PDB file of all heavy atoms in Angstrom:
ATOM      1  N   GLU A   1      37.923  90.353  82.015  1.00 77.00           N
ATOM      2  CA  GLU A   1      38.676  89.770  83.119  1.00 77.00           C
ATOM      3  C   GLU A   1      38.539  90.586  84.400  1.00 77.00           C
ATOM      4  O   GLU A   1      39.060  90.199  85.446  1.00 77.00           O
ATOM      5  CB  GLU A   1      40.162  89.672  82.735  1.00 77.00           C
ATOM      6  CG  GLU A   1      40.429  88.819  81.505  1.00 77.00           C
ATOM      7  CD  GLU A   1      39.967  87.387  81.699  1.00 77.00           C
ATOM      8  OE1 GLU A   1      40.156  86.849  82.807  1.00 77.00           O
ATOM      9  OE2 GLU A   1      39.405  86.809  80.740  1.00 77.00           O
ATOM     10  N   GLU A   2      37.845  91.724  84.306  1.00 79.00           N
ATOM     11  CA  GLU A   2      37.667  92.599  85.467  1.00 79.00           C
ATOM     12  C   GLU A   2      36.570  92.015  86.367  1.00 79.00           C
ATOM     13  O   GLU A   2      35.405  92.360  86.284  1.00 79.00           O
ATOM     14  CB  GLU A   2      37.288  94.011  84.996  1.00 79.00           C
ATOM     15  CG  GLU A   2      37.334  95.063  86.076  1.00 79.00           C
ATOM     16  CD  GLU A   2      37.100  96.456  85.505  1.00 79.00           C
ATOM     17  OE1 GLU A   2      36.549  96.559  84.391  1.00 79.00           O
ATOM     18  OE2 GLU A   2      37.479  97.418  86.163  1.00 79.00           O
ATOM     19  N   ASN A   3      36.943  91.128  87.235  1.00 81.00           N
ATOM     20  CA  ASN A   3      36.005  90.351  88.035  1.00 81.00           C
ATOM     21  C   ASN A   3      35.433  91.183  89.180  1.00 81.00           C
ATOM     22  O   ASN A   3      36.102  92.048  89.727  1.00 81.00           O
ATOM     23  CB  ASN A   3      36.726  89.117  88.599  1.00 81.00           C
ATOM     24  CG  ASN A   3      35.760  88.156  89.260  1.00 81.00           C
ATOM     25  OD1 ASN A   3      34.573  88.177  88.986  1.00 81.00           O
ATOM     26  ND2 ASN A   3      36.282  87.325  90.138  1.00 81.00           N
ATOM     27  N   GLY A   4      34.194  90.900  89.564  1.00 90.00           N
ATOM     28  CA  GLY A   4      33.628  91.533  90.739  1.00 90.00           C
ATOM     29  C   GLY A   4      32.201  92.005  90.548  1.00 90.00           C
ATOM     30  O   GLY A   4      31.620  91.918  89.466  1.00 90.00           O
ATOM     31  N   ILE A   5      31.637  92.528  91.633  1.00 91.00           N
ATOM     32  CA  ILE A   5      30.261  93.025  91.679  1.00 91.00           C
ATOM     33  C   ILE A   5      30.269  94.423  92.263  1.00 91.00           C
ATOM     34  O   ILE A   5      31.041  94.732  93.177  1.00 91.00           O
ATOM     35  CB  ILE A   5      29.386  92.111  92.567  1.00 91.00           C
ATOM     36  CG1 ILE A   5      29.322  90.697  91.998  1.00 91.00           C
ATOM     37  CG2 ILE A   5      27.977  92.696  92.738  1.00 91.00           C
ATOM     38  CD1 ILE A   5      28.564  90.560  90.698  1.00 91.00           C
ATOM     39  N   LEU A   6      29.417  95.286  91.735  1.00 93.00           N
ATOM     40  CA  LEU A   6      29.240  96.622  92.307  1.00 93.00           C
ATOM     41  C   LEU A   6      27.807  96.785  92.798  1.00 93.00           C
ATOM     42  O   LEU A   6      26.867  96.252  92.200  1.00 93.00           O
ATOM     43  CB  LEU A   6      29.600  97.709  91.298  1.00 93.00           C
ATOM     44  CG  LEU A   6      28.778  97.862  90.020  1.00 93.00           C
ATOM     45  CD1 LEU A   6      27.520  98.694  90.222  1.00 93.00           C
ATOM     46  CD2 LEU A   6      29.640  98.472  88.918  1.00 93.00           C
ATOM     47  N   VAL A   7      27.643  97.494  93.906  1.00 91.00           N
ATOM     48  CA  VAL A   7      26.338  97.835  94.451  1.00 91.00           C
ATOM     49  C   VAL A   7      26.286  99.349  94.589  1.00 91.00           C
ATOM     50  O   VAL A   7      27.207  99.959  95.151  1.00 91.00           O
ATOM     51  CB  VAL A   7      26.106  97.181  95.832  1.00 91.00           C
ATOM     52  CG1 VAL A   7      24.736  97.584  96.387  1.00 91.00           C
ATOM     53  CG2 VAL A   7      26.216  95.666  95.733  1.00 91.00           C
ATOM     54  N   VAL A   8      25.242  99.966  94.048  1.00 92.00           N
ATOM     55  CA  VAL A   8      25.126 101.425  94.060  1.00 92.00           C
ATOM     56  C   VAL A   8      24.435 101.872  95.345  1.00 92.00           C
ATOM     57  O   VAL A   8      23.276 101.535  95.589  1.00 92.00           O
ATOM     58  CB  VAL A   8      24.336 101.930  92.841  1.00 92.00           C
ATOM     59  CG1 VAL A   8      24.325 103.457  92.821  1.00 92.00           C
ATOM     60  CG2 VAL A   8      24.914 101.377  91.543  1.00 92.00           C
ATOM     61  N   ALA A   9      25.157 102.628  96.163  1.00 91.00           N
ATOM     62  CA  ALA A   9      24.569 103.185  97.381  1.00 91.00           C
ATOM     63  C   ALA A   9      23.911 104.531  97.098  1.00 91.00           C
ATOM     64  O   ALA A   9      22.850 104.848  97.636  1.00 91.00           O
ATOM     65  CB  ALA A   9      25.643 103.332  98.461  1.00 91.00           C
ATOM     66  N   SER A  10      24.540 105.338  96.245  1.00 92.00           N
ATOM     67  CA  SER A  10      23.964 106.626  95.860  1.00 92.00           C
ATOM     68  C   SER A  10      24.570 107.051  94.528  1.00 92.00           C
ATOM     69  O   SER A  10      25.614 106.551  94.112  1.00 92.00           O
ATOM     70  CB  SER A  10      24.252 107.696  96.932  1.00 92.00           C
ATOM     71  OG  SER A  10      25.642 107.955  97.028  1.00 92.00           O
ATOM     72  N   GLY A  11      23.893 107.965  93.846  1.00 94.00           N
ATOM     73  CA  GLY A  11      24.382 108.463  92.570  1.00 94.00           C
ATOM     74  C   GLY A  11      23.739 107.783  91.379  1.00 94.00           C
ATOM     75  O   GLY A  11      22.662 107.186  91.482  1.00 94.00           O
ATOM     76  N   ARG A  12      24.409 107.856  90.249  1.00 92.00           N
ATOM     77  CA  ARG A  12      23.862 107.336  88.991  1.00 92.00           C
ATOM     78  C   ARG A  12      25.024 106.912  88.096  1.00 92.00           C
ATOM     79  O   ARG A  12      26.031 107.622  87.972  1.00 92.00           O
ATOM     80  CB  ARG A  12      23.025 108.431  88.322  1.00 92.00           C
ATOM     81  CG  ARG A  12      22.245 108.010  87.088  1.00 92.00           C
ATOM     82  CD  ARG A  12      21.354 109.180  86.664  1.00 92.00           C
ATOM     83  NE  ARG A  12      20.659 108.951  85.421  1.00 92.00           N
ATOM     84  CZ  ARG A  12      19.496 108.318  85.293  1.00 92.00           C
ATOM     85  NH1 ARG A  12      18.914 107.831  86.363  1.00 92.00           N
ATOM     86  NH2 ARG A  12      18.910 108.189  84.128  1.00 92.00           N
ATOM     87  N   LEU A  13      24.879 105.749  87.454  1.00 94.00           N
ATOM     88  CA  LEU A  13      25.916 105.213  86.584  1.00 94.00           C
ATOM     89  C   LEU A  13      25.336 104.855  85.228  1.00 94.00           C
ATOM     90  O   LEU A  13      24.163 104.490  85.126  1.00 94.00           O
ATOM     91  CB  LEU A  13      26.568 103.960  87.184  1.00 94.00           C
ATOM     92  CG  LEU A  13      27.453 104.120  88.424  1.00 94.00           C
ATOM     93  CD1 LEU A  13      26.605 104.254  89.682  1.00 94.00           C
ATOM     94  CD2 LEU A  13      28.384 102.932  88.567  1.00 94.00           C
ATOM     95  N   ARG A  14      26.175 104.958  84.191  1.00 92.00           N
ATOM     96  CA  ARG A  14      25.758 104.636  82.826  1.00 92.00           C
ATOM     97  C   ARG A  14      26.589 103.472  82.297  1.00 92.00           C
ATOM     98  O   ARG A  14      27.818 103.489  82.358  1.00 92.00           O
ATOM     99  CB  ARG A  14      25.949 105.856  81.918  1.00 92.00           C
ATOM    100  CG  ARG A  14      25.627 105.609  80.442  1.00 92.00           C
ATOM    101  CD  ARG A  14      25.723 106.891  79.651  1.00 92.00           C
ATOM    102  NE  ARG A  14      27.097 107.316  79.430  1.00 92.00           N
ATOM    103  CZ  ARG A  14      27.749 107.225  78.263  1.00 92.00           C
ATOM    104  NH1 ARG A  14      27.131 106.711  77.202  1.00 92.00           N
ATOM    105  NH2 ARG A  14      28.991 107.655  78.137  1.00 92.00           N
ATOM    106  N   MET A  15      25.911 102.455  81.759  1.00 91.00           N
ATOM    107  CA  MET A  15      26.583 101.367  81.062  1.00 91.00           C
ATOM    108  C   MET A  15      26.516 101.653  79.564  1.00 91.00           C
ATOM    109  O   MET A  15      25.449 101.965  79.037  1.00 91.00           O
ATOM    110  CB  MET A  15      25.904 100.029  81.365  1.00 91.00           C
ATOM    111  CG  MET A  15      26.492  98.860  80.592  1.00 91.00           C
ATOM    112  SD  MET A  15      25.514  97.350  80.788  1.00 91.00           S
ATOM    113  CE  MET A  15      25.946  96.923  82.462  1.00 91.00           C
ATOM    114  N   TYR A  16      27.649 101.518  78.872  1.00 91.00           N
ATOM    115  CA  TYR A  16      27.653 101.893  77.457  1.00 91.00           C
ATOM    116  C   TYR A  16      28.728 101.143  76.684  1.00 91.00           C
ATOM    117  O   TYR A  16      29.620 100.499  77.255  1.00 91.00           O
ATOM    118  CB  TYR A  16      27.860 103.406  77.313  1.00 91.00           C
ATOM    119  CG  TYR A  16      29.197 103.922  77.787  1.00 91.00           C
ATOM    120  CD1 TYR A  16      30.194 104.264  76.890  1.00 91.00           C
ATOM    121  CD2 TYR A  16      29.458 104.089  79.148  1.00 91.00           C
ATOM    122  CE1 TYR A  16      31.422 104.755  77.315  1.00 91.00           C
ATOM    123  CE2 TYR A  16      30.672 104.583  79.588  1.00 91.00           C
ATOM    124  CZ  TYR A  16      31.652 104.910  78.669  1.00 91.00           C
ATOM    125  OH  TYR A  16      32.866 105.392  79.103  1.00 91.00           O
ATOM    126  N   LEU A  17      28.617 101.234  75.360  1.00 87.00           N
ATOM    127  CA  LEU A  17      29.606 100.704  74.432  1.00 87.00           C
ATOM    128  C   LEU A  17      30.154 101.849  73.596  1.00 87.00           C
ATOM    129  O   LEU A  17      29.467 102.860  73.387  1.00 87.00           O
ATOM    130  CB  LEU A  17      28.983  99.645  73.515  1.00 87.00           C
ATOM    131  CG  LEU A  17      28.469  98.362  74.189  1.00 87.00           C
ATOM    132  CD1 LEU A  17      27.696  97.523  73.172  1.00 87.00           C
ATOM    133  CD2 LEU A  17      29.615  97.565  74.783  1.00 87.00           C
ATOM    134  N   VAL A  18      31.359 101.685  73.093  1.00 85.00           N
ATOM    135  CA  VAL A  18      31.994 102.723  72.280  1.00 85.00           C
ATOM    136  C   VAL A  18      32.304 102.158  70.904  1.00 85.00           C
ATOM    137  O   VAL A  18      32.935 101.099  70.777  1.00 85.00           O
ATOM    138  CB  VAL A  18      33.293 103.229  72.934  1.00 85.00           C
ATOM    139  CG1 VAL A  18      33.976 104.257  72.027  1.00 85.00           C
ATOM    140  CG2 VAL A  18      32.995 103.850  74.287  1.00 85.00           C
ATOM    141  N   GLY A  19      31.822 102.859  69.860  1.00 75.00           N
ATOM    142  CA  GLY A  19      32.138 102.502  68.493  1.00 75.00           C
ATOM    143  C   GLY A  19      33.180 103.437  67.921  1.00 75.00           C
ATOM    144  O   GLY A  19      33.814 104.201  68.643  1.00 75.00           O
ATOM    145  N   GLU A  20      33.345 103.410  66.609  1.00 69.00           N
ATOM    146  CA  GLU A  20      34.351 104.247  65.975  1.00 69.00           C
ATOM    147  C   GLU A  20      34.021 105.730  66.070  1.00 69.00           C
ATOM    148  O   GLU A  20      34.910 106.566  66.206  1.00 69.00           O
ATOM    149  CB  GLU A  20      34.510 103.849  64.503  1.00 69.00           C
ATOM    150  CG  GLU A  20      35.134 102.469  64.298  1.00 69.00           C
ATOM    151  CD  GLU A  20      35.368 102.171  62.835  1.00 69.00           C
ATOM    152  OE1 GLU A  20      35.046 103.053  62.011  1.00 69.00           O
ATOM    153  OE2 GLU A  20      35.875 101.079  62.515  1.00 69.00           O
ATOM    154  N   ASP A  21      32.717 106.063  65.973  1.00 71.00           N
ATOM    155  CA  ASP A  21      32.363 107.473  65.924  1.00 71.00           C
ATOM    156  C   ASP A  21      31.276 107.876  66.909  1.00 71.00           C
ATOM    157  O   ASP A  21      30.791 109.006  66.881  1.00 71.00           O
ATOM    158  CB  ASP A  21      31.916 107.854  64.509  1.00 71.00           C
ATOM    159  CG  ASP A  21      30.732 107.013  64.032  1.00 71.00           C
ATOM    160  OD1 ASP A  21      30.370 106.046  64.735  1.00 71.00           O
ATOM    161  OD2 ASP A  21      30.179 107.324  62.971  1.00 71.00           O
ATOM    162  N   ARG A  22      30.869 106.973  67.813  1.00 77.00           N
ATOM    163  CA  ARG A  22      29.825 107.336  68.771  1.00 77.00           C
ATOM    164  C   ARG A  22      29.781 106.345  69.921  1.00 77.00           C
ATOM    165  O   ARG A  22      30.377 105.275  69.870  1.00 77.00           O
ATOM    166  CB  ARG A  22      28.458 107.388  68.091  1.00 77.00           C
ATOM    167  CG  ARG A  22      27.969 106.051  67.556  1.00 77.00           C
ATOM    168  CD  ARG A  22      26.636 106.191  66.856  1.00 77.00           C
ATOM    169  NE  ARG A  22      26.193 104.929  66.293  1.00 77.00           N
ATOM    170  CZ  ARG A  22      25.071 104.788  65.585  1.00 77.00           C
ATOM    171  NH1 ARG A  22      24.305 105.825  65.356  1.00 77.00           N
ATOM    172  NH2 ARG A  22      24.723 103.601  65.098  1.00 77.00           N
ATOM    173  N   GLU A  23      29.055 106.770  70.951  1.00 83.00           N
ATOM    174  CA  GLU A  23      28.812 105.903  72.098  1.00 83.00           C
ATOM    175  C   GLU A  23      27.344 105.481  72.093  1.00 83.00           C
ATOM    176  O   GLU A  23      26.473 106.192  71.578  1.00 83.00           O
ATOM    177  CB  GLU A  23      29.117 106.643  73.404  1.00 83.00           C
ATOM    178  CG  GLU A  23      30.574 107.025  73.561  1.00 83.00           C
ATOM    179  CD  GLU A  23      30.829 107.788  74.847  1.00 83.00           C
ATOM    180  OE1 GLU A  23      29.859 108.049  75.598  1.00 83.00           O
ATOM    181  OE2 GLU A  23      31.993 108.150  75.106  1.00 83.00           O
ATOM    182  N   LEU A  24      27.078 104.310  72.672  1.00 84.00           N
ATOM    183  CA  LEU A  24      25.710 103.800  72.761  1.00 84.00           C
ATOM    184  C   LEU A  24      25.425 103.438  74.210  1.00 84.00           C
ATOM    185  O   LEU A  24      26.028 102.518  74.762  1.00 84.00           O
ATOM    186  CB  LEU A  24      25.533 102.572  71.873  1.00 84.00           C
ATOM    187  CG  LEU A  24      24.146 101.912  71.903  1.00 84.00           C
ATOM    188  CD1 LEU A  24      23.077 102.875  71.389  1.00 84.00           C
ATOM    189  CD2 LEU A  24      24.144 100.636  71.069  1.00 84.00           C
ATOM    190  N   SER A  25      24.532 104.190  74.844  1.00 85.00           N
ATOM    191  CA  SER A  25      24.149 103.910  76.225  1.00 85.00           C
ATOM    192  C   SER A  25      23.198 102.721  76.253  1.00 85.00           C
ATOM    193  O   SER A  25      22.254 102.638  75.466  1.00 85.00           O
ATOM    194  CB  SER A  25      23.469 105.123  76.863  1.00 85.00           C
ATOM    195  OG  SER A  25      24.367 106.214  76.937  1.00 85.00           O
ATOM    196  N   LEU A  26      23.450 101.797  77.172  1.00 88.00           N
ATOM    197  CA  LEU A  26      22.644 100.585  77.269  1.00 88.00           C
ATOM    198  C   LEU A  26      21.720 100.572  78.482  1.00 88.00           C
ATOM    199  O   LEU A  26      20.616 100.041  78.416  1.00 88.00           O
ATOM    200  CB  LEU A  26      23.562  99.356  77.332  1.00 88.00           C
ATOM    201  CG  LEU A  26      24.467  99.123  76.127  1.00 88.00           C
ATOM    202  CD1 LEU A  26      25.410  97.953  76.409  1.00 88.00           C
ATOM    203  CD2 LEU A  26      23.638  98.847  74.879  1.00 88.00           C
ATOM    204  N   PHE A  27      22.175 101.157  79.592  1.00 88.00           N
ATOM    205  CA  PHE A  27      21.402 101.050  80.831  1.00 88.00           C
ATOM    206  C   PHE A  27      21.933 102.065  81.836  1.00 88.00           C
ATOM    207  O   PHE A  27      23.113 102.415  81.813  1.00 88.00           O
ATOM    208  CB  PHE A  27      21.533  99.629  81.395  1.00 88.00           C
ATOM    209  CG  PHE A  27      20.560  99.307  82.503  1.00 88.00           C
ATOM    210  CD1 PHE A  27      19.211  99.230  82.254  1.00 88.00           C
ATOM    211  CD2 PHE A  27      21.008  99.060  83.796  1.00 88.00           C
ATOM    212  CE1 PHE A  27      18.305  98.929  83.265  1.00 88.00           C
ATOM    213  CE2 PHE A  27      20.123  98.756  84.812  1.00 88.00           C
ATOM    214  CZ  PHE A  27      18.770  98.688  84.551  1.00 88.00           C
ATOM    215  N   TYR A  28      21.041 102.527  82.719  1.00 89.00           N
ATOM    216  CA  TYR A  28      21.428 103.418  83.810  1.00 89.00           C
ATOM    217  C   TYR A  28      21.142 102.740  85.149  1.00 89.00           C
ATOM    218  O   TYR A  28      20.077 102.160  85.342  1.00 89.00           O
ATOM    219  CB  TYR A  28      20.674 104.745  83.717  1.00 89.00           C
ATOM    220  CG  TYR A  28      21.225 105.682  82.670  1.00 89.00           C
ATOM    221  CD1 TYR A  28      20.811 105.590  81.345  1.00 89.00           C
ATOM    222  CD2 TYR A  28      22.158 106.660  83.008  1.00 89.00           C
ATOM    223  CE1 TYR A  28      21.334 106.443  80.374  1.00 89.00           C
ATOM    224  CE2 TYR A  28      22.674 107.523  82.045  1.00 89.00           C
ATOM    225  CZ  TYR A  28      22.260 107.415  80.736  1.00 89.00           C
ATOM    226  OH  TYR A  28      22.771 108.253  79.782  1.00 89.00           O
ATOM    227  N   PHE A  29      22.113 102.833  86.063  1.00 90.00           N
ATOM    228  CA  PHE A  29      21.964 102.273  87.399  1.00 90.00           C
ATOM    229  C   PHE A  29      21.727 103.388  88.402  1.00 90.00           C
ATOM    230  O   PHE A  29      22.314 104.467  88.298  1.00 90.00           O
ATOM    231  CB  PHE A  29      23.233 101.518  87.817  1.00 90.00           C
ATOM    232  CG  PHE A  29      23.598 100.368  86.929  1.00 90.00           C
ATOM    233  CD1 PHE A  29      24.582 100.494  85.958  1.00 90.00           C
ATOM    234  CD2 PHE A  29      22.959  99.143  87.070  1.00 90.00           C
ATOM    235  CE1 PHE A  29      24.930  99.430  85.142  1.00 90.00           C
ATOM    236  CE2 PHE A  29      23.297  98.071  86.253  1.00 90.00           C
ATOM    237  CZ  PHE A  29      24.277  98.217  85.291  1.00 90.00           C
ATOM    238  N   GLY A  30      20.876 103.096  89.410  1.00 89.00           N
ATOM    239  CA  GLY A  30      20.618 104.043  90.486  1.00 89.00           C
ATOM    240  C   GLY A  30      20.772 103.368  91.832  1.00 89.00           C
ATOM    241  O   GLY A  30      21.142 102.188  91.918  1.00 89.00           O
ATOM    242  N   PRO A  31      20.490 104.078  92.920  1.00 89.00           N
ATOM    243  CA  PRO A  31      20.641 103.514  94.262  1.00 89.00           C
ATOM    244  C   PRO A  31      19.875 102.201  94.433  1.00 89.00           C
ATOM    245  O   PRO A  31      18.719 102.088  94.045  1.00 89.00           O
ATOM    246  CB  PRO A  31      20.062 104.611  95.165  1.00 89.00           C
ATOM    247  CG  PRO A  31      20.292 105.872  94.397  1.00 89.00           C
ATOM    248  CD  PRO A  31      20.067 105.494  92.958  1.00 89.00           C
ATOM    249  N   GLY A  32      20.554 101.212  95.002  1.00 85.00           N
ATOM    250  CA  GLY A  32      19.953  99.902  95.218  1.00 85.00           C
ATOM    251  C   GLY A  32      20.194  98.925  94.090  1.00 85.00           C
ATOM    252  O   GLY A  32      19.915  97.739  94.233  1.00 85.00           O
ATOM    253  N   ASP A  33      20.726  99.403  92.959  1.00 88.00           N
ATOM    254  CA  ASP A  33      21.023  98.507  91.840  1.00 88.00           C
ATOM    255  C   ASP A  33      22.389  97.844  92.051  1.00 88.00           C
ATOM    256  O   ASP A  33      23.268  98.375  92.735  1.00 88.00           O
ATOM    257  CB  ASP A  33      21.039  99.267  90.516  1.00 88.00           C
ATOM    258  CG  ASP A  33      19.651  99.624  90.038  1.00 88.00           C
ATOM    259  OD1 ASP A  33      18.682  98.995  90.520  1.00 88.00           O
ATOM    260  OD2 ASP A  33      19.526 100.530  89.193  1.00 88.00           O
ATOM    261  N   MET A  34      22.558  96.682  91.435  1.00 88.00           N
ATOM    262  CA  MET A  34      23.830  95.972  91.503  1.00 88.00           C
ATOM    263  C   MET A  34      24.082  95.291  90.164  1.00 88.00           C
ATOM    264  O   MET A  34      23.149  94.966  89.438  1.00 88.00           O
ATOM    265  CB  MET A  34      23.809  94.946  92.640  1.00 88.00           C
ATOM    266  CG  MET A  34      22.731  93.888  92.517  1.00 88.00           C
ATOM    267  SD  MET A  34      22.654  92.780  93.960  1.00 88.00           S
ATOM    268  CE  MET A  34      21.741  93.809  95.098  1.00 88.00           C
ATOM    269  N   PHE A  35      25.351  95.102  89.841  1.00 89.00           N
ATOM    270  CA  PHE A  35      25.681  94.486  88.558  1.00 89.00           C
ATOM    271  C   PHE A  35      27.111  93.971  88.604  1.00 89.00           C
ATOM    272  O   PHE A  35      27.909  94.365  89.455  1.00 89.00           O
ATOM    273  CB  PHE A  35      25.517  95.490  87.414  1.00 89.00           C
ATOM    274  CG  PHE A  35      25.202  94.859  86.082  1.00 89.00           C
ATOM    275  CD1 PHE A  35      23.951  94.314  85.844  1.00 89.00           C
ATOM    276  CD2 PHE A  35      26.156  94.798  85.081  1.00 89.00           C
ATOM    277  CE1 PHE A  35      23.656  93.721  84.625  1.00 89.00           C
ATOM    278  CE2 PHE A  35      25.873  94.218  83.866  1.00 89.00           C
ATOM    279  CZ  PHE A  35      24.619  93.670  83.635  1.00 89.00           C
ATOM    280  N   CYS A  36      27.446  93.081  87.642  1.00 87.00           N
ATOM    281  CA  CYS A  36      28.805  92.552  87.565  1.00 87.00           C
ATOM    282  C   CYS A  36      29.712  93.551  86.860  1.00 87.00           C
ATOM    283  O   CYS A  36      29.259  94.398  86.088  1.00 87.00           O
ATOM    284  CB  CYS A  36      28.818  91.212  86.848  1.00 87.00           C
ATOM    285  SG  CYS A  36      28.371  91.318  85.106  1.00 87.00           S
ATOM    286  N   ARG A  37      31.012  93.416  87.113  1.00 86.00           N
ATOM    287  CA  ARG A  37      31.991  94.306  86.504  1.00 86.00           C
ATOM    288  C   ARG A  37      32.683  93.664  85.300  1.00 86.00           C
ATOM    289  O   ARG A  37      33.577  94.260  84.707  1.00 86.00           O
ATOM    290  CB  ARG A  37      33.033  94.723  87.546  1.00 86.00           C
ATOM    291  CG  ARG A  37      32.432  95.411  88.767  1.00 86.00           C
ATOM    292  CD  ARG A  37      33.487  95.738  89.804  1.00 86.00           C
ATOM    293  NE  ARG A  37      34.420  96.744  89.294  1.00 86.00           N
ATOM    294  CZ  ARG A  37      35.573  97.046  89.901  1.00 86.00           C
ATOM    295  NH1 ARG A  37      35.939  96.389  90.985  1.00 86.00           N
ATOM    296  NH2 ARG A  37      36.360  97.977  89.392  1.00 86.00           N
ATOM    297  N   HIS A  38      32.274  92.450  84.941  1.00 81.00           N
ATOM    298  CA  HIS A  38      32.934  91.736  83.852  1.00 81.00           C
ATOM    299  C   HIS A  38      31.996  91.503  82.661  1.00 81.00           C
ATOM    300  O   HIS A  38      32.115  90.519  81.946  1.00 81.00           O
ATOM    301  CB  HIS A  38      33.471  90.392  84.360  1.00 81.00           C
ATOM    302  CG  HIS A  38      32.435  89.556  85.050  1.00 81.00           C
ATOM    303  ND1 HIS A  38      32.217  89.636  86.404  1.00 81.00           N
ATOM    304  CD2 HIS A  38      31.566  88.639  84.592  1.00 81.00           C
ATOM    305  CE1 HIS A  38      31.255  88.792  86.741  1.00 81.00           C
ATOM    306  NE2 HIS A  38      30.845  88.186  85.648  1.00 81.00           N
TER     307      HIS A  38
END
């Protein structure tokens, strides 16, 4: 339900999922990338 779009101007972001005992990274965003927040 977290509606919206993000655009990366600088820095680095990680998209991931969390399980019972570990995290799983899915994708990394860098400057110029954009993605939905939902």
Side-chain angles (χ1 to χ4, degrees):
E1 300 300 320
E2 191 174 20
N3 189 21
I5 298 291
L6 64 84
V7 179
V8 184
S10 65
R12 187 174 174 85
L13 291 79
R14 176 175 74 106
M15 176 188 287
Y16 65 104
L17 296 171
V18 177
E20 292 184 0
D21 58 352
R22 64 182 177 182
E23 295 178 358
L24 178 63
S25 297
L26 299 174
F27 192 67
Y28 282 86
F29 300 100
D33 285 341
M34 60 185 80
F35 207 72
C36 66
R37 302 177 66 192
H38 53 269

